[in-house]
Amino acid sequence: MDERIIKTEYSEVMQKSYIDYAMSVIIARALPDVRDGLKPVQRRTLYDMYELGIRYDRPYRKSARIVGDTMGKYHPHGDSSIYEALVVMTQEFKKGLPLIDGHGNFGNIEGDGAAAMRYTEARLQRITQEAFLADLDKNVVDFIPNFDETEREPSVLPVRIPNLLINGAEGIAVGMATSIPPHNLEEVINAVKAYIQNPAIDTGGLMKYIKGPDFPTGGIIINKSELCGIYETGTGKVKVRGRIETEKGKSGRINLIITEIPYPMIGSGISRFLSDVAALAETKKTADIVDISNQSSKEGIRIVIELRKDADVENFKNMLYKKTRLEDTFGVNMLAISQGRPETMGLKEIIKASADFQFELTERKYTTLLAREQEKKEIQEGLIKACNVIDLIIEILRGSRDRAMAKNCLVEGVTEGIRFKSRESQVMAQMLRFTERQANAILEMRLYKLIGLELDALVKEHEETLANIYRYEDILERRDSMATVILHELEEVKKAYRRKRRTVVEDGAEAVFAEKKPEEMDVVFLLDRFGYARTIDTATYERNREAADGENRFVFSCKNTGRICLFTDTGALHTIKVMDVPFGKFRDKGVPLDNISNYDSSAEQIVYAADQRELHLRRVLFVTKLAMVKIVDGGEFDVAKRMVAATKLQEGDAVVDVTPLGEQRDIVLQTEGGYFLKFSLEEIPEKKKNALGVRGMKLGEDDMVKAVYYTGAGTADTIPFQNRTLDLQKVKSGKRDTKGTKVRGV
């Protein structure tokens, strides 16, 4: 077989392949359809349950059975995505209207996951069966082949309510994402009815019915005035707070009870909230907290915060809103698939699409019903006509050799080959002109239909059929009649499944938290050789000065309201608030710097630590192992960021020494190879912190700077070197960027 090689541009192939992949994710995986508000995996799961007969009034079936059948027939993308979709459709705390009735452990609001699919069971909810899957036998939606063309599945479910708004949606596609909040069923249906009755209604008019999102977790929406703009554009942020109630506690204390949480806090957000509240007490942000406990159960959320008697309750509430996720935002991006393409839609566009879909479903439904009634009418008229000449028909049947001969006589009046009792019967038979359907119905008619009461019932049924035909034709021909039908169906769903609004919508006041400034005091910062930091008061330090200086790498005084600067060998500057460092007793262990800063003890080492206020007034000298030196104005380190670059380094270089300059005169560089170079500090230029610096010493091959010393007031004159004492004053002075002097050991 001849090979056929097609040459093409690689970038074009990649571009086309990526676009195909992106569109597949967008259309077939991640985004819901505006008509039924369902993603493909949700639609397929519900349809599979319907096909399996797992109805609301029948026994539960294993979730694994549902997942396996859905994956094998309709959704070949793995069982986990199917089961996760099934689980979410059962969770009342995520969906305003759960579509599946779960039996077993399907997770909880605190973030615990569902049990494995082999343990849980499920069946359809009643509303799912009545408002999502009804009328599938009436040709109301198109059916398409499944992935291997062995089955057929609906392209969209005939959902009778705007599910996209009622249940909301969340999904991440390629280059786009959707985030639609859930709404109240009764309000949404009222808005759809208002639109059907007045298509010119604007977003403001619709919001007379839809007050705003209605989250399953309740809460309080506090930016009511911004909702109209959000619904107009389809994008924006909804601010929502948890609900706090107060109770009298023990010994006259006050208990704050959180009974509702913001919707974004579902899952691990609750444990994060508890940790944040505990951190407020640990970091001394507040001294009002006595105890905190999570008493939530199946009955609902109940988080209890016990406060001191003299606590400012309103100020503490505002602190919770400001410092924790008890006030959060829900990002709205109402993106859905409309007419085969992703589109961001406002409230009116979504309601219009839903209403148009209802008219389409109703038209297709009553077109099918009309065709069925017309077929029934044809058959009924044939049977009634046959009853009037039943003796002749019996004579035809008895005189015919086979069914085809009898049918031909009933339809065409052909009497050849049929034996009649009289010439008159044959003439009458030749005048018969039944239709094909009528002839088949007559041939299949049972004799009991000739009973008088049965004949009366047939006539009555025929009258009902005529009435249905008249009604169906009226619905199909007049939009007002069709609208009346849709409005009636919506009203029935509303009456059966409405519930009270859970989320309050208001224009809440901005949370103003007056954080009490701590009283400024002098403390002593201690950092030991293991990287643990703590602060103690000055009196404690004076009593333990010798032990403190001997056991710690860095010891210095600072203000409790200031910041600490940590310079590392990687050239980074980490800053931490002194308030974040635990204040306590001298023998307290302290806290690892890794826990209160961006410092990573596994990747960098601290070269120098100092009070930021002290550095602000000094000049700082940097020396690296490749002998690069520079002086930087300390004011450049007066930063609020947790981490910045303190100096620029070459590849393979590292900071050896960082020293604030005072009365030092000369610098002495010592290398691994035993070379010493002493030169004046005046030779070192002052540069910016992001500069590389200048070379301070010429290094031999594989040699590097090991230590840095200084001469002048307040410095040591001698250092230990190779089992002897070296007098720095006797080291020969030189110039910067020279090799220095080799010092021999003993």
Side-chain angles (χ1 to χ4, degrees), residues 618-619 621 631 659-669 677-684 708-718 727-731 733-734 736:
R618 308 278 291 275
R619 296 191 307 155
L621 174 63
I631 296 174
T659 300
L661 297 179
E663 298 182 9
Q664 301 97 323
R665 293 192 312 272
D666 300 326
I667 181 173
V668 182
L669 303 181
L677 175 63
K678 181 169 73 171
F679 60 91
S680 173
L681 290 173
E682 294 180 357
E683 295 188 49
I684 302 176
V708 181
Y709 307 103
Y710 299 92
T711 65
T715 62
D717 291 331
T718 59
D727 189 348
L728 295 177
Q729 299 293 339
K730 295 182 179 181
V731 175
S733 296
R736 181 182 65 80

Side-chain angles (χ1 to χ4, degrees), residues 414-439:
V414 178
T415 59
E416 293 180 5
I418 301 177
R419 297 189 305 274
F420 290 94
K421 293 180 180 179
S422 64
R423 174 64 182 168
E424 183 182 355
S425 296
Q426 184 176 7
V427 172
M428 291 178 64
Q430 291 174 345
M431 297 171 64
L432 295 176
R433 289 295 186 273
F434 290 101
T435 65
E436 288 273 347
R437 285 199 186 95
Q438 291 173 340

